[in-house]
Amino acid sequence: VQLQASGGGLVQPGGSLRLSCAVFGFTLDDYAIGWFHQAPGKEREGVSCISSSDGSTYYADSVKGRFTVSRDNAKNTVYLQMNSLKPEDTAVYYCASVISKGCQLNKYEYDYWGQGTLVTVSS
């Protein structure tokens, strides 16, 4: 089981980025995928997740209305579209998987993690 996050970079405040999480060795039919971020000196926190059963989604309050999570089962890839980015969104973003029909943002429930991709929001 492997996850590979990509798409990070430097963007100005108010800009957008789309992160991708490609998964290998399993299918999205059985695994929920979560996105987490970790800023320097801070704990890793949940951002968003998408369930395996019906594609239902969940967002942290700090990103509601700005971020959208989606999946393409044919490509075994989950996306995180990030709009209206703020400097406080600066962090390393990780995707993770858990064998579950539903999804939640408790990092301790996730089994496999990707390597992370850095997002920097700065002018």
Side-chain angles (χ1 to χ4, degrees):
V1 173
Q2 281 190 313
L3 298 93
Q4 189 169 39
S6 61
L10 173 64
V11 63
Q12 292 187 340
S16 298
L17 278 177
R18 188 177 80 158
L19 305 183
S20 299
C21 177
V23 305
F24 306 93
F26 64 96
T27 71
L28 296 175
D29 293 332
D30 298 319
Y31 284 76
I33 301 295
W35 284 99
F36 297 79
H37 68 190
Q38 187 167 18
K42 294 191 175 182
E43 294 274 331
R44 190 170 299 187
E45 299 177 331
V47 174
S48 180
C49 63
I50 186 164
S51 72
S52 63
S53 56
D54 58 2
S56 57
T57 57
Y58 185 79
Y59 299 92
D61 288 343
S62 59
V63 306
K64 279 180 183 175
R66 300 189 298 123
F67 290 11
T68 303
V69 62
S70 62
R71 68 184 188 191
D72 185 334
N73 284 27
K75 294 183 178 180
N76 253 10
T77 301
V78 172
Y79 304 98
L80 185 67
Q81 178 67 43
M82 306 187 296
N83 298 328
S84 303
L85 283 161
K86 305 175 181 179
E88 51 264 42
D89 295 319
T90 294
V92 177
Y93 283 72
Y94 299 88
C95 57
S97 66
V98 58
I99 186 164
S100 171
K101 293 300 181 185
C103 83
Q104 37 70 29
L105 293 181
N106 181 352
K107 61 187 177 185
Y108 299 108
E109 295 293 325
Y110 285 77
D111 302 310
Y112 298 98
W113 292 80
Q115 83 287 6
T117 184
L118 176 63
V119 172
T120 304
V121 185
S122 174
S123 54

